[in-house]
Amino acid sequence: MTELLQIDHVSRNFGGVQALTDVSFAIRQDEIFGLIGPNGAGKTTLFNVLTGVLPPSSGHIIFAGKPLDRQPPHRILQLGIARTFQNIRLFSGMTALENVLVGQHSCTRSGVIGAILRNAATRREEAQARRHAAELLDQVGISRHSNTLAANLSYGDQRRLEIARALASQPRLLALDEPAAGMNPAEREQLRELIQQLRAGFNLTVLVIEHDVKLMMQLCQRIAVLDFGELVTVDEPERIRQHPRVIQAWLGTET
Amino acid sequence: MSHSRRSAWSTYAALAIGLLALPFLLQAGIGRSWVRIIDMALLYSMLALGLNIVVGYAGLLDLGYIAFYAVGAYVYALLDSPQFGLHWPLWAVLPIGAACAGLSGVLLGAPTLRLRGDYLAIVTLGFGEIIRIFLNNLNEPVNITNGPQGICLIDSVHLGTFSFSHNHTTMLPGLTGPVQYYYLFLALTLLVMFIALRLQDSRVGRAWAAIREDELAAAASGIHLRNFKLLAFAMGATFGGLAGGLFAGFQGFVSPESFNLMESVMILCMIVLGGMGNVYGVVLGAITLTVLPEALRMLGDWQLNHLGHVIVDPNDLRMLIFGLALVAMMLIRPAGLIRSRRHQREYAGDRP
Ligand SMILES: Nc1ncnc2c1ncn2[C@@H]1O[C@H](COP(=O)(O)OP(=O)(O)OP(=O)(O)O)[C@@H](O)[C@H]1O
Ligand SMILES: [Mg+2]
């Protein structure tokens, strides 16, 4: 199995707070890789460093053989890493369909001249983008809401829409920050199936942060555990369950 | 369907006839000066539509926008007046002015890219003033702008031998200078509206809207923030420069005082009043805020004629009514007279 993403000795601090300390691990092509850890462990910070929102204080990230050093977020998206946000960040004044259209920004080309002239190439691209957006909404199961404002969607549907928007850029790695937050057990189960379906259907590699350990055990091939910014271990779910520091530091208190 | 299409066509036809007949009706009805006022209203519409791209579409609060109007006006003035003895044709001067304005939009926009909200407003306000101060002082050591005196005797807008300022009443009764300008400005305003509408509903317009709603999510969706912000500044400034060039030819005179901060604020008011982001609303706002002061001036004359003296000074009244109108707007229709589909949702967001 080849490695798609390498996190190489990444640290990040905010003033005195050491949010990530010398974290290294690799994610393999095609796997669903979990990231767990207590509140404030640095999981979201790792996502922010990975997607160019924050530069690392030190260390490197290598994606598909290319270093991502100092690349801005839009470049990283173009290179094939798309993400969702822990605190949902949809374009709330746009419809679900429009959100996914924005997600296709990097796969479409038309500019000012095309917009004004609305020539055949632009019309074709727009029609194609709308078709594709509708398909994506269908795939995440919210096609009936395509003309609903993102702000008016239910919480679970907003999370699904964020996934559709991220998928619209045709990423190789999909990074999900607590996609099941605020969902009930039935919805979580559906979400797990959805993620597995999408992984297979789109040939994705998935990196997912979740607090629901049971869900993660079923979903992920491998899981990394972060605690106080340090990597505790990376392993298969059964071994994670038995890891003494995991039980002691975190799992024991969770359930 | 054919019925509704036919009624739509007849509405458009009626609107077109109304717009074409308007200057003649005004001349015959309330007086010739009103045609000039409507001409100015159309110029302001173009300006406001330009600023609307920056503020309404991309959400970048620009308080120095009038500077681009100034650049367009001065380019026209310098290339078509005795100042340097140049008399370039319109087809060259207008695009050059618009391009210079667009370029200054990029140059002034570039340093502000990391700023947002209040900070952006303050810095752009400063840039607007800098341009005005430049125009005021570029008469020494080499006299370029003629300083505070401004530039006069600017050539009228002309195509070949056809000057828009000359009356052509022999050709058609009532075809005066202002009426000809009206048709020119109307055509260009419609063109700018068309461009603004097309941009709004496109990949570029969606990228701007995404930046306005959530910069981080926009960047994470692959939008190059710097390029699209600069594009908004450039497009807005280009329209500003176009309106500026027309203004110079229309007035025949420009001076730095026409481009002060109050003008920037006024154009912003037009957008806010009309409905930020909504093309028709912005035009309505521009026309309302241009026509209203003139209507109030008429009220002053009326007092003088019928009561013998002016009891309420229309100038005081003007600012008072502006203030009241804006406060009332904020309370009653916070999204503007004609709400934009997107902005309306944003305002409705917290009380569904
Ligand atoms: N932009 C920031 N500025 C300052 N401190 C930050 C910033 N982002 C994160 N931190 C701090 O870094 C630490 C790690 O935060 P992070 O959000 O990565 O945790 P997390 O593992 O995602 O937690 P949770 O499960 O609550 O989402 C916390 O102490 C947090 O306060
Ligand atoms: Mg987090």
Side-chain angles (χ1 to χ4, degrees), chain A residues 14 17 19 37-46 48 54 86 177-178 209 211:
Chain A
F14 299 103
V17 180
N39 290 118
K43 306 181 294 295
T44 299
T45 304
L46 185 68
N48 286 339
L54 296 170
Q86 180 173 353
D177 197 345
E178 305 202 13
I209 297 176
H211 281 290

Side-chain angles (χ1 to χ4, degrees), chain A residues 12 47-55 71-73 76 83 85, chain B residues 216 220:
Chain A
R12 169 74 208 196
F47 265 42
N48 286 339
V49 171
L50 171 66
T51 54
V53 174
L54 296 170
Q71 296 285 355
I76 290 183
R83 73 175 287 186
F85 295 88
Chain B
L216 177 55

